[in-house]
Amino acid sequence: MRTRMIRAGVALAAALAQPAAPALAATAAPTPSPGAATVTKAGTSFLTATPITAGQPVHVGASTGDYLYWSFPATAGQIHEITATVAFPKGRTGASTWTVDVFDGLRRRQACTAGAQTPTAAASATSVPLGCTLRQVRSWAEPWSGDPLPGTYYLRLSVVDLPEPDLGLPIDVDLLVSDVGDGQAPGDDGELKAPLVPNTKAGTVLTGEPAAAPADEEQDGAGLDGWLPELSSRWIWTTVGGVLAAVAGVVGFALTRRPRRR
């Protein structure tokens, strides 16, 4: 009996001495597409947003306080994951809060289902990671639903809170938009007629004065119609008023005139 207890204790000690089984592997970080060219600029508004594609890396040098805009196309069935890192210089005076916002073609802000969308970096931090995973793009939806639809999407990176002395400090931004969807659109029994792309060329600007309409040849003639004014209600009432005023003057003069003495 004692021998069995000793063997059981030895087996338990050996089991405890073995290394624990590794935990579930963490999700691999998104990687750029092979051969994709790095984008080194960003826009400052929706109209000047720099176009990028899924899997194309972005590396931009900017200043703290700048609004950085990019745009990327989205089709039905895609799920886009946005990862960004903002690197700071030394000598910051306080903490700062950053945010990444995504808008669809109608400039509607799209919610994130995962990721650190608005993180805060401590004063001693050298960088801050940001992330946002969008909902799956639908092929069709009701106008009031606000669901993500195919079209051009806009990405904005900015700082929302920071000490005033840190405004304007140089930063380095690394950003990547990845497609993590399966490419299969959800069964919603519909299809969008056209992608949601804003019309940035609504019309043309006229730089010169419009040409005057040509004059009527009949009005240029030498007849009476060329210099007599057209008869209108204003002319009629003016004429009638003048005649009445003359008659009133004559009658008034006759009534107030003294008779002559013979």
Side-chain angles (χ1 to χ4, degrees), residues 30 52-55 71-83 102 111-114 131-138 148-153 155 176-182:
I52 58 176
T53 58
S71 64
F72 60 92
T75 58
Q78 292 183 332
I79 300 177
H80 292 91
E81 181 180 0
I82 301 164
T83 56
V102 183
C112 300
T113 60
C132 176
T133 301
L134 299 176
R135 295 175 293 170
Q136 186 179 26
V137 180
R138 299 171 60 89
L149 296 173
T152 300
Y153 280 63
L155 173 63
L176 181 65
V177 177
S178 304
D179 178 18
V180 297
D182 54 5

PDB file of all heavy atoms in Angstrom, residues 30 52-55 71-83 102 111-114 131-138 148-153 155 176-182:
ATOM      1  N   PRO A  30      -1.994  42.072 -38.777  1.00  0.00           N
ATOM      2  CA  PRO A  30      -2.133  42.211 -40.237  1.00  0.00           C
ATOM      3  C   PRO A  30      -0.795  42.588 -40.870  1.00  0.00           C
ATOM      4  O   PRO A  30      -0.001  43.355 -40.312  1.00  0.00           O
ATOM      5  CB  PRO A  30      -3.165  43.331 -40.382  1.00  0.00           C
ATOM      6  CG  PRO A  30      -3.883  43.374 -39.079  1.00  0.00           C
ATOM      7  CD  PRO A  30      -2.889  42.973 -38.043  1.00  0.00           C
ATOM      8  N   ILE A  52      -6.083  54.804 -50.948  1.00  0.00           N
ATOM      9  CA  ILE A  52      -5.267  53.624 -50.657  1.00  0.00           C
ATOM     10  C   ILE A  52      -6.139  52.395 -50.903  1.00  0.00           C
ATOM     11  O   ILE A  52      -7.344  52.500 -51.119  1.00  0.00           O
ATOM     12  CB  ILE A  52      -4.726  53.623 -49.215  1.00  0.00           C
ATOM     13  CG1 ILE A  52      -5.894  53.679 -48.213  1.00  0.00           C
ATOM     14  CG2 ILE A  52      -3.768  54.781 -48.996  1.00  0.00           C
ATOM     15  CD1 ILE A  52      -5.452  53.596 -46.761  1.00  0.00           C
ATOM     16  N   THR A  53      -5.525  51.228 -50.860  1.00  0.00           N
ATOM     17  CA  THR A  53      -6.246  49.968 -51.028  1.00  0.00           C
ATOM     18  C   THR A  53      -5.929  49.064 -49.848  1.00  0.00           C
ATOM     19  O   THR A  53      -4.970  49.292 -49.092  1.00  0.00           O
ATOM     20  CB  THR A  53      -5.857  49.285 -52.341  1.00  0.00           C
ATOM     21  OG1 THR A  53      -4.422  49.067 -52.357  1.00  0.00           O
ATOM     22  CG2 THR A  53      -6.234  50.138 -53.538  1.00  0.00           C
ATOM     23  N   ALA A  54      -6.740  48.033 -49.685  1.00  0.00           N
ATOM     24  CA  ALA A  54      -6.518  47.069 -48.612  1.00  0.00           C
ATOM     25  C   ALA A  54      -5.177  46.362 -48.810  1.00  0.00           C
ATOM     26  O   ALA A  54      -4.863  45.906 -49.902  1.00  0.00           O
ATOM     27  CB  ALA A  54      -7.660  46.058 -48.566  1.00  0.00           C
ATOM     28  N   GLY A  55      -4.389  46.303 -47.753  1.00  0.00           N
ATOM     29  CA  GLY A  55      -3.075  45.686 -47.817  1.00  0.00           C
ATOM     30  C   GLY A  55      -1.955  46.623 -48.206  1.00  0.00           C
ATOM     31  O   GLY A  55      -0.802  46.194 -48.280  1.00  0.00           O
ATOM     32  N   SER A  71      -8.744  57.433 -48.120  1.00  0.00           N
ATOM     33  CA  SER A  71      -9.965  56.816 -48.643  1.00  0.00           C
ATOM     34  C   SER A  71      -9.611  55.455 -49.238  1.00  0.00           C
ATOM     35  O   SER A  71      -8.520  55.268 -49.781  1.00  0.00           O
ATOM     36  CB  SER A  71     -10.617  57.709 -49.703  1.00  0.00           C
ATOM     37  OG  SER A  71      -9.772  57.851 -50.836  1.00  0.00           O
ATOM     38  N   PHE A  72     -10.550  54.514 -49.132  1.00  0.00           N
ATOM     39  CA  PHE A  72     -10.329  53.178 -49.683  1.00  0.00           C
ATOM     40  C   PHE A  72     -11.664  52.623 -50.168  1.00  0.00           C
ATOM     41  O   PHE A  72     -12.729  52.935 -49.610  1.00  0.00           O
ATOM     42  CB  PHE A  72      -9.708  52.243 -48.646  1.00  0.00           C
ATOM     43  CG  PHE A  72     -10.534  52.045 -47.409  1.00  0.00           C
ATOM     44  CD1 PHE A  72     -11.447  50.999 -47.312  1.00  0.00           C
ATOM     45  CD2 PHE A  72     -10.413  52.906 -46.332  1.00  0.00           C
ATOM     46  CE1 PHE A  72     -12.207  50.815 -46.176  1.00  0.00           C
ATOM     47  CE2 PHE A  72     -11.171  52.734 -45.182  1.00  0.00           C
ATOM     48  CZ  PHE A  72     -12.071  51.685 -45.103  1.00  0.00           C
ATOM     49  N   PRO A  73     -11.653  51.803 -51.209  1.00  0.00           N
ATOM     50  CA  PRO A  73     -12.902  51.219 -51.733  1.00  0.00           C
ATOM     51  C   PRO A  73     -13.311  49.997 -50.921  1.00  0.00           C
ATOM     52  O   PRO A  73     -12.471  49.270 -50.377  1.00  0.00           O
ATOM     53  CB  PRO A  73     -12.536  50.849 -53.168  1.00  0.00           C
ATOM     54  CG  PRO A  73     -11.057  50.562 -53.103  1.00  0.00           C
ATOM     55  CD  PRO A  73     -10.489  51.479 -52.050  1.00  0.00           C
ATOM     56  N   ALA A  74     -14.623  49.768 -50.864  1.00  0.00           N
ATOM     57  CA  ALA A  74     -15.161  48.613 -50.140  1.00  0.00           C
ATOM     58  C   ALA A  74     -16.261  47.977 -50.985  1.00  0.00           C
ATOM     59  O   ALA A  74     -17.094  48.678 -51.566  1.00  0.00           O
ATOM     60  CB  ALA A  74     -15.709  49.024 -48.786  1.00  0.00           C
ATOM     61  N   THR A  75     -16.251  46.663 -51.053  1.00  0.00           N
ATOM     62  CA  THR A  75     -17.266  45.912 -51.780  1.00  0.00           C
ATOM     63  C   THR A  75     -18.014  45.003 -50.812  1.00  0.00           C
ATOM     64  O   THR A  75     -17.583  44.775 -49.672  1.00  0.00           O
ATOM     65  CB  THR A  75     -16.633  45.079 -52.906  1.00  0.00           C
ATOM     66  OG1 THR A  75     -15.653  44.185 -52.320  1.00  0.00           O
ATOM     67  CG2 THR A  75     -15.940  45.968 -53.915  1.00  0.00           C
ATOM     68  N   ALA A  76     -19.145  44.488 -51.265  1.00  0.00           N
ATOM     69  CA  ALA A  76     -19.989  43.652 -50.421  1.00  0.00           C
ATOM     70  C   ALA A  76     -19.240  42.400 -49.982  1.00  0.00           C
ATOM     71  O   ALA A  76     -18.535  41.761 -50.770  1.00  0.00           O
ATOM     72  CB  ALA A  76     -21.265  43.272 -51.163  1.00  0.00           C
ATOM     73  N   GLY A  77     -19.388  42.044 -48.705  1.00  0.00           N
ATOM     74  CA  GLY A  77     -18.743  40.862 -48.153  1.00  0.00           C
ATOM     75  C   GLY A  77     -17.434  41.135 -47.448  1.00  0.00           C
ATOM     76  O   GLY A  77     -16.929  40.256 -46.737  1.00  0.00           O
ATOM     77  N   GLN A  78     -16.853  42.317 -47.595  1.00  0.00           N
ATOM     78  CA  GLN A  78     -15.568  42.630 -46.974  1.00  0.00           C
ATOM     79  C   GLN A  78     -15.747  43.087 -45.527  1.00  0.00           C
ATOM     80  O   GLN A  78     -16.752  43.722 -45.177  1.00  0.00           O
ATOM     81  CB  GLN A  78     -14.828  43.710 -47.765  1.00  0.00           C
ATOM     82  CG  GLN A  78     -14.348  43.265 -49.134  1.00  0.00           C
ATOM     83  CD  GLN A  78     -13.568  44.356 -49.840  1.00  0.00           C
ATOM     84  OE1 GLN A  78     -13.783  45.549 -49.610  1.00  0.00           O
ATOM     85  NE2 GLN A  78     -12.664  43.959 -50.731  1.00  0.00           N
ATOM     86  N   ILE A  79     -14.771  42.762 -44.695  1.00  0.00           N
ATOM     87  CA  ILE A  79     -14.686  43.251 -43.315  1.00  0.00           C
ATOM     88  C   ILE A  79     -13.306  43.877 -43.162  1.00  0.00           C
ATOM     89  O   ILE A  79     -12.290  43.182 -43.231  1.00  0.00           O
ATOM     90  CB  ILE A  79     -14.879  42.124 -42.284  1.00  0.00           C
ATOM     91  CG1 ILE A  79     -16.253  41.467 -42.470  1.00  0.00           C
ATOM     92  CG2 ILE A  79     -14.739  42.654 -40.870  1.00  0.00           C
ATOM     93  CD1 ILE A  79     -16.489  40.286 -41.535  1.00  0.00           C
ATOM     94  N   HIS A  80     -13.258  45.167 -42.976  1.00  0.00           N
ATOM     95  CA  HIS A  80     -11.989  45.875 -42.951  1.00  0.00           C
ATOM     96  C   HIS A  80     -11.507  46.068 -41.507  1.00  0.00           C
ATOM     97  O   HIS A  80     -12.284  46.463 -40.634  1.00  0.00           O
ATOM     98  CB  HIS A  80     -12.120  47.238 -43.637  1.00  0.00           C
ATOM     99  CG  HIS A  80     -12.346  47.135 -45.110  1.00  0.00           C
ATOM    100  ND1 HIS A  80     -13.611  47.082 -45.671  1.00  0.00           N
ATOM    101  CD2 HIS A  80     -11.466  47.043 -46.146  1.00  0.00           C
ATOM    102  CE1 HIS A  80     -13.499  46.985 -46.985  1.00  0.00           C
ATOM    103  NE2 HIS A  80     -12.213  46.958 -47.301  1.00  0.00           N
ATOM    104  N   GLU A  81     -10.249  45.784 -41.325  1.00  0.00           N
ATOM    105  CA  GLU A  81      -9.585  45.993 -40.038  1.00  0.00           C
ATOM    106  C   GLU A  81      -8.501  47.061 -40.220  1.00  0.00           C
ATOM    107  O   GLU A  81      -7.639  46.937 -41.092  1.00  0.00           O
ATOM    108  CB  GLU A  81      -8.971  44.695 -39.523  1.00  0.00           C
ATOM    109  CG  GLU A  81      -8.279  44.858 -38.173  1.00  0.00           C
ATOM    110  CD  GLU A  81      -7.665  43.564 -37.679  1.00  0.00           C
ATOM    111  OE1 GLU A  81      -7.781  42.541 -38.409  1.00  0.00           O
ATOM    112  OE2 GLU A  81      -7.068  43.562 -36.608  1.00  0.00           O
ATOM    113  N   ILE A  82      -8.557  48.082 -39.410  1.00  0.00           N
ATOM    114  CA  ILE A  82      -7.641  49.218 -39.507  1.00  0.00           C
ATOM    115  C   ILE A  82      -6.728  49.208 -38.294  1.00  0.00           C
ATOM    116  O   ILE A  82      -7.196  49.180 -37.149  1.00  0.00           O
ATOM    117  CB  ILE A  82      -8.419  50.544 -39.577  1.00  0.00           C
ATOM    118  CG1 ILE A  82      -9.345  50.542 -40.799  1.00  0.00           C
ATOM    119  CG2 ILE A  82      -7.473  51.728 -39.629  1.00  0.00           C
ATOM    120  CD1 ILE A  82     -10.405  51.597 -40.759  1.00  0.00           C
ATOM    121  N   THR A  83      -5.442  49.201 -38.560  1.00  0.00           N
ATOM    122  CA  THR A  83      -4.443  49.271 -37.498  1.00  0.00           C
ATOM    123  C   THR A  83      -3.527  50.457 -37.772  1.00  0.00           C
ATOM    124  O   THR A  83      -3.121  50.685 -38.913  1.00  0.00           O
ATOM    125  CB  THR A  83      -3.612  47.981 -37.426  1.00  0.00           C
ATOM    126  OG1 THR A  83      -3.003  47.725 -38.707  1.00  0.00           O
ATOM    127  CG2 THR A  83      -4.480  46.800 -37.043  1.00  0.00           C
ATOM    128  N   VAL A 102     -14.069  56.387 -39.103  1.00  0.00           N
ATOM    129  CA  VAL A 102     -14.326  55.865 -40.442  1.00  0.00           C
ATOM    130  C   VAL A 102     -15.703  56.351 -40.878  1.00  0.00           C
ATOM    131  O   VAL A 102     -16.675  56.283 -40.100  1.00  0.00           O
ATOM    132  CB  VAL A 102     -14.254  54.332 -40.489  1.00  0.00           C
ATOM    133  CG1 VAL A 102     -14.458  53.831 -41.914  1.00  0.00           C
ATOM    134  CG2 VAL A 102     -12.920  53.850 -39.941  1.00  0.00           C
ATOM    135  N   ALA A 111     -19.495  52.649 -36.964  1.00  0.00           N
ATOM    136  CA  ALA A 111     -19.046  52.189 -35.657  1.00  0.00           C
ATOM    137  C   ALA A 111     -18.024  51.071 -35.808  1.00  0.00           C
ATOM    138  O   ALA A 111     -18.010  50.329 -36.794  1.00  0.00           O
ATOM    139  CB  ALA A 111     -20.238  51.705 -34.845  1.00  0.00           C
ATOM    140  N   CYS A 112     -17.151  50.952 -34.810  1.00  0.00           N
ATOM    141  CA  CYS A 112     -16.142  49.902 -34.772  1.00  0.00           C
ATOM    142  C   CYS A 112     -16.628  48.773 -33.873  1.00  0.00           C
ATOM    143  O   CYS A 112     -17.196  49.018 -32.796  1.00  0.00           O
ATOM    144  CB  CYS A 112     -14.809  50.441 -34.252  1.00  0.00           C
ATOM    145  SG  CYS A 112     -14.091  51.770 -35.253  1.00  0.00           S
ATOM    146  N   THR A 113     -16.426  47.544 -34.293  1.00  0.00           N
ATOM    147  CA  THR A 113     -16.811  46.387 -33.493  1.00  0.00           C
ATOM    148  C   THR A 113     -15.682  45.890 -32.610  1.00  0.00           C
ATOM    149  O   THR A 113     -15.930  45.113 -31.675  1.00  0.00           O
ATOM    150  CB  THR A 113     -17.264  45.247 -34.409  1.00  0.00           C
ATOM    151  OG1 THR A 113     -16.182  44.876 -35.285  1.00  0.00           O
ATOM    152  CG2 THR A 113     -18.443  45.687 -35.269  1.00  0.00           C
ATOM    153  N   ALA A 114     -14.454  46.293 -32.865  1.00  0.00           N
ATOM    154  CA  ALA A 114     -13.309  45.876 -32.058  1.00  0.00           C
ATOM    155  C   ALA A 114     -12.178  46.869 -32.301  1.00  0.00           C
ATOM    156  O   ALA A 114     -12.190  47.632 -33.272  1.00  0.00           O
ATOM    157  CB  ALA A 114     -12.863  44.449 -32.419  1.00  0.00           C
ATOM    158  N   GLY A 131      -6.805  51.013 -33.372  1.00  0.00           N
ATOM    159  CA  GLY A 131      -7.396  49.954 -34.182  1.00  0.00           C
ATOM    160  C   GLY A 131      -8.890  50.111 -34.305  1.00  0.00           C
ATOM    161  O   GLY A 131      -9.542  50.718 -33.450  1.00  0.00           O
ATOM    162  N   CYS A 132      -9.433  49.572 -35.385  1.00  0.00           N
ATOM    163  CA  CYS A 132     -10.873  49.623 -35.626  1.00  0.00           C
ATOM    164  C   CYS A 132     -11.235  48.527 -36.614  1.00  0.00           C
ATOM    165  O   CYS A 132     -10.645  48.448 -37.705  1.00  0.00           O
ATOM    166  CB  CYS A 132     -11.294  51.000 -36.158  1.00  0.00           C
ATOM    167  SG  CYS A 132     -13.042  51.121 -36.603  1.00  0.00           S
ATOM    168  N   THR A 133     -12.180  47.683 -36.238  1.00  0.00           N
ATOM    169  CA  THR A 133     -12.697  46.654 -37.121  1.00  0.00           C
ATOM    170  C   THR A 133     -14.124  47.013 -37.479  1.00  0.00           C
ATOM    171  O   THR A 133     -14.983  47.146 -36.593  1.00  0.00           O
ATOM    172  CB  THR A 133     -12.657  45.270 -36.458  1.00  0.00           C
ATOM    173  OG1 THR A 133     -11.302  44.957 -36.099  1.00  0.00           O
ATOM    174  CG2 THR A 133     -13.182  44.198 -37.406  1.00  0.00           C
ATOM    175  N   LEU A 134     -14.385  47.186 -38.759  1.00  0.00           N
ATOM    176  CA  LEU A 134     -15.706  47.598 -39.214  1.00  0.00           C
ATOM    177  C   LEU A 134     -16.633  46.401 -39.375  1.00  0.00           C
ATOM    178  O   LEU A 134     -16.184  45.248 -39.407  1.00  0.00           O
ATOM    179  CB  LEU A 134     -15.592  48.338 -40.555  1.00  0.00           C
ATOM    180  CG  LEU A 134     -14.755  49.610 -40.553  1.00  0.00           C
ATOM    181  CD1 LEU A 134     -14.656  50.167 -41.963  1.00  0.00           C
ATOM    182  CD2 LEU A 134     -15.353  50.647 -39.608  1.00  0.00           C
ATOM    183  N   ARG A 135     -17.916  46.685 -39.479  1.00  0.00           N
ATOM    184  CA  ARG A 135     -18.883  45.639 -39.762  1.00  0.00           C
ATOM    185  C   ARG A 135     -18.760  45.184 -41.219  1.00  0.00           C
ATOM    186  O   ARG A 135     -18.179  45.888 -42.048  1.00  0.00           O
ATOM    187  CB  ARG A 135     -20.301  46.141 -39.491  1.00  0.00           C
ATOM    188  CG  ARG A 135     -20.585  46.478 -38.042  1.00  0.00           C
ATOM    189  CD  ARG A 135     -21.965  47.085 -37.886  1.00  0.00           C
ATOM    190  NE  ARG A 135     -22.045  48.386 -38.532  1.00  0.00           N
ATOM    191  CZ  ARG A 135     -23.188  49.046 -38.704  1.00  0.00           C
ATOM    192  NH1 ARG A 135     -24.331  48.511 -38.316  1.00  0.00           N
ATOM    193  NH2 ARG A 135     -23.186  50.232 -39.291  1.00  0.00           N
ATOM    194  N   GLN A 136     -19.313  44.033 -41.497  1.00  0.00           N
ATOM    195  CA  GLN A 136     -19.254  43.508 -42.860  1.00  0.00           C
ATOM    196  C   GLN A 136     -20.077  44.380 -43.795  1.00  0.00           C
ATOM    197  O   GLN A 136     -21.183  44.811 -43.469  1.00  0.00           O
ATOM    198  CB  GLN A 136     -19.765  42.072 -42.905  1.00  0.00           C
ATOM    199  CG  GLN A 136     -19.589  41.412 -44.271  1.00  0.00           C
ATOM    200  CD  GLN A 136     -20.090  39.975 -44.273  1.00  0.00           C
ATOM    201  OE1 GLN A 136     -20.948  39.613 -43.485  1.00  0.00           O
ATOM    202  NE2 GLN A 136     -19.551  39.164 -45.172  1.00  0.00           N
ATOM    203  N   VAL A 137     -19.507  44.670 -44.954  1.00  0.00           N
ATOM    204  CA  VAL A 137     -20.170  45.509 -45.947  1.00  0.00           C
ATOM    205  C   VAL A 137     -21.326  44.724 -46.555  1.00  0.00           C
ATOM    206  O   VAL A 137     -21.153  43.594 -47.022  1.00  0.00           O
ATOM    207  CB  VAL A 137     -19.178  45.957 -47.034  1.00  0.00           C
ATOM    208  CG1 VAL A 137     -19.881  46.827 -48.071  1.00  0.00           C
ATOM    209  CG2 VAL A 137     -18.027  46.714 -46.402  1.00  0.00           C
ATOM    210  N   ARG A 138     -22.500  45.328 -46.556  1.00  0.00           N
ATOM    211  CA  ARG A 138     -23.689  44.693 -47.085  1.00  0.00           C
ATOM    212  C   ARG A 138     -23.899  45.105 -48.537  1.00  0.00           C
ATOM    213  O   ARG A 138     -23.472  46.174 -48.960  1.00  0.00           O
ATOM    214  CB  ARG A 138     -24.919  45.074 -46.255  1.00  0.00           C
ATOM    215  CG  ARG A 138     -24.824  44.637 -44.797  1.00  0.00           C
ATOM    216  CD  ARG A 138     -25.952  45.238 -43.990  1.00  0.00           C
ATOM    217  NE  ARG A 138     -27.251  44.833 -44.498  1.00  0.00           N
ATOM    218  CZ  ARG A 138     -27.918  43.756 -44.137  1.00  0.00           C
ATOM    219  NH1 ARG A 138     -27.394  42.954 -43.226  1.00  0.00           N
ATOM    220  NH2 ARG A 138     -29.101  43.464 -44.639  1.00  0.00           N
ATOM    221  N   PRO A 148     -23.237  49.514 -43.283  1.00  0.00           N
ATOM    222  CA  PRO A 148     -22.175  49.796 -44.259  1.00  0.00           C
ATOM    223  C   PRO A 148     -22.519  49.226 -45.620  1.00  0.00           C
ATOM    224  O   PRO A 148     -22.892  48.050 -45.749  1.00  0.00           O
ATOM    225  CB  PRO A 148     -20.944  49.108 -43.649  1.00  0.00           C
ATOM    226  CG  PRO A 148     -21.500  48.068 -42.734  1.00  0.00           C
ATOM    227  CD  PRO A 148     -22.795  48.611 -42.206  1.00  0.00           C
ATOM    228  N   LEU A 149     -22.422  50.059 -46.652  1.00  0.00           N
ATOM    229  CA  LEU A 149     -22.762  49.684 -48.016  1.00  0.00           C
ATOM    230  C   LEU A 149     -21.542  49.828 -48.914  1.00  0.00           C
ATOM    231  O   LEU A 149     -20.583  50.527 -48.570  1.00  0.00           O
ATOM    232  CB  LEU A 149     -23.907  50.555 -48.533  1.00  0.00           C
ATOM    233  CG  LEU A 149     -25.247  50.403 -47.807  1.00  0.00           C
ATOM    234  CD1 LEU A 149     -26.245  51.440 -48.299  1.00  0.00           C
ATOM    235  CD2 LEU A 149     -25.802  49.001 -47.987  1.00  0.00           C
ATOM    236  N   PRO A 150     -21.532  49.192 -50.077  1.00  0.00           N
ATOM    237  CA  PRO A 150     -20.378  49.316 -50.985  1.00  0.00           C
ATOM    238  C   PRO A 150     -20.167  50.751 -51.417  1.00  0.00           C
ATOM    239  O   PRO A 150     -21.104  51.521 -51.604  1.00  0.00           O
ATOM    240  CB  PRO A 150     -20.776  48.425 -52.173  1.00  0.00           C
ATOM    241  CG  PRO A 150     -21.778  47.482 -51.630  1.00  0.00           C
ATOM    242  CD  PRO A 150     -22.526  48.218 -50.572  1.00  0.00           C
ATOM    243  N   GLY A 151     -18.915  51.115 -51.597  1.00  0.00           N
ATOM    244  CA  GLY A 151     -18.569  52.466 -52.030  1.00  0.00           C
ATOM    245  C   GLY A 151     -17.214  52.875 -51.497  1.00  0.00           C
ATOM    246  O   GLY A 151     -16.379  52.038 -51.115  1.00  0.00           O
ATOM    247  N   THR A 152     -16.985  54.166 -51.472  1.00  0.00           N
ATOM    248  CA  THR A 152     -15.729  54.735 -50.989  1.00  0.00           C
ATOM    249  C   THR A 152     -15.858  55.060 -49.507  1.00  0.00           C
ATOM    250  O   THR A 152     -16.799  55.742 -49.099  1.00  0.00           O
ATOM    251  CB  THR A 152     -15.372  56.001 -51.770  1.00  0.00           C
ATOM    252  OG1 THR A 152     -15.245  55.672 -53.159  1.00  0.00           O
ATOM    253  CG2 THR A 152     -14.058  56.593 -51.289  1.00  0.00           C
ATOM    254  N   TYR A 153     -14.908  54.591 -48.724  1.00  0.00           N
ATOM    255  CA  TYR A 153     -14.890  54.858 -47.291  1.00  0.00           C
ATOM    256  C   TYR A 153     -13.734  55.813 -46.974  1.00  0.00           C
ATOM    257  O   TYR A 153     -12.690  55.801 -47.638  1.00  0.00           O
ATOM    258  CB  TYR A 153     -14.732  53.566 -46.493  1.00  0.00           C
ATOM    259  CG  TYR A 153     -16.021  52.800 -46.349  1.00  0.00           C
ATOM    260  CD1 TYR A 153     -16.683  52.295 -47.465  1.00  0.00           C
ATOM    261  CD2 TYR A 153     -16.609  52.608 -45.112  1.00  0.00           C
ATOM    262  CE1 TYR A 153     -17.879  51.612 -47.344  1.00  0.00           C
ATOM    263  CE2 TYR A 153     -17.806  51.925 -44.967  1.00  0.00           C
ATOM    264  CZ  TYR A 153     -18.435  51.431 -46.086  1.00  0.00           C
ATOM    265  OH  TYR A 153     -19.628  50.759 -45.967  1.00  0.00           O
ATOM    266  N   LEU A 155     -11.170  57.473 -43.984  1.00  0.00           N
ATOM    267  CA  LEU A 155     -10.502  57.218 -42.716  1.00  0.00           C
ATOM    268  C   LEU A 155      -9.840  58.499 -42.232  1.00  0.00           C
ATOM    269  O   LEU A 155      -9.105  59.144 -42.993  1.00  0.00           O
ATOM    270  CB  LEU A 155      -9.467  56.102 -42.892  1.00  0.00           C
ATOM    271  CG  LEU A 155      -8.538  55.793 -41.726  1.00  0.00           C
ATOM    272  CD1 LEU A 155      -9.327  55.314 -40.531  1.00  0.00           C
ATOM    273  CD2 LEU A 155      -7.526  54.737 -42.149  1.00  0.00           C
ATOM    274  N   LEU A 176      -2.416  50.698 -41.711  1.00  0.00           N
ATOM    275  CA  LEU A 176      -2.683  49.608 -42.643  1.00  0.00           C
ATOM    276  C   LEU A 176      -4.163  49.249 -42.575  1.00  0.00           C
ATOM    277  O   LEU A 176      -4.729  49.093 -41.486  1.00  0.00           O
ATOM    278  CB  LEU A 176      -1.832  48.379 -42.319  1.00  0.00           C
ATOM    279  CG  LEU A 176      -2.010  47.162 -43.237  1.00  0.00           C
ATOM    280  CD1 LEU A 176      -1.549  47.481 -44.644  1.00  0.00           C
ATOM    281  CD2 LEU A 176      -1.261  45.957 -42.682  1.00  0.00           C
ATOM    282  N   VAL A 177      -4.793  49.143 -43.737  1.00  0.00           N
ATOM    283  CA  VAL A 177      -6.177  48.698 -43.857  1.00  0.00           C
ATOM    284  C   VAL A 177      -6.156  47.294 -44.449  1.00  0.00           C
ATOM    285  O   VAL A 177      -5.610  47.086 -45.542  1.00  0.00           O
ATOM    286  CB  VAL A 177      -6.996  49.646 -44.743  1.00  0.00           C
ATOM    287  CG1 VAL A 177      -8.423  49.122 -44.907  1.00  0.00           C
ATOM    288  CG2 VAL A 177      -7.015  51.047 -44.159  1.00  0.00           C
ATOM    289  N   SER A 178      -6.731  46.322 -43.717  1.00  0.00           N
ATOM    290  CA  SER A 178      -6.728  44.927 -44.152  1.00  0.00           C
ATOM    291  C   SER A 178      -8.154  44.440 -44.320  1.00  0.00           C
ATOM    292  O   SER A 178      -9.069  44.890 -43.625  1.00  0.00           O
ATOM    293  CB  SER A 178      -5.992  44.048 -43.129  1.00  0.00           C
ATOM    294  OG  SER A 178      -4.675  44.528 -42.907  1.00  0.00           O
ATOM    295  N   ASP A 179      -8.329  43.512 -45.266  1.00  0.00           N
ATOM    296  CA  ASP A 179      -9.618  42.871 -45.497  1.00  0.00           C
ATOM    297  C   ASP A 179      -9.581  41.506 -44.834  1.00  0.00           C
ATOM    298  O   ASP A 179      -8.864  40.607 -45.268  1.00  0.00           O
ATOM    299  CB  ASP A 179      -9.892  42.743 -46.993  1.00  0.00           C
ATOM    300  CG  ASP A 179     -11.211  42.035 -47.287  1.00  0.00           C
ATOM    301  OD1 ASP A 179     -12.045  41.965 -46.363  1.00  0.00           O
ATOM    302  OD2 ASP A 179     -11.387  41.556 -48.417  1.00  0.00           O
ATOM    303  N   VAL A 180     -10.354  41.340 -43.753  1.00  0.00           N
ATOM    304  CA  VAL A 180     -10.367  40.081 -43.012  1.00  0.00           C
ATOM    305  C   VAL A 180     -11.670  39.321 -43.237  1.00  0.00           C
ATOM    306  O   VAL A 180     -11.937  38.339 -42.531  1.00  0.00           O
ATOM    307  CB  VAL A 180     -10.165  40.347 -41.501  1.00  0.00           C
ATOM    308  CG1 VAL A 180      -8.807  40.957 -41.252  1.00  0.00           C
ATOM    309  CG2 VAL A 180     -11.258  41.265 -40.956  1.00  0.00           C
ATOM    310  N   GLY A 181     -12.486  39.754 -44.183  1.00  0.00           N
ATOM    311  CA  GLY A 181     -13.743  39.065 -44.463  1.00  0.00           C
ATOM    312  C   GLY A 181     -13.546  37.872 -45.372  1.00  0.00           C
ATOM    313  O   GLY A 181     -12.475  37.668 -45.967  1.00  0.00           O
ATOM    314  N   ASP A 182     -14.602  37.085 -45.493  1.00  0.00           N
ATOM    315  CA  ASP A 182     -14.547  35.904 -46.348  1.00  0.00           C
ATOM    316  C   ASP A 182     -14.958  36.194 -47.778  1.00  0.00           C
ATOM    317  O   ASP A 182     -14.954  35.293 -48.630  1.00  0.00           O
ATOM    318  CB  ASP A 182     -15.441  34.793 -45.785  1.00  0.00           C
ATOM    319  CG  ASP A 182     -16.875  35.255 -45.553  1.00  0.00           C
ATOM    320  OD1 ASP A 182     -17.193  36.404 -45.921  1.00  0.00           O
ATOM    321  OD2 ASP A 182     -17.668  34.478 -45.007  1.00  0.00           O
TER     322      ASP A 182
END
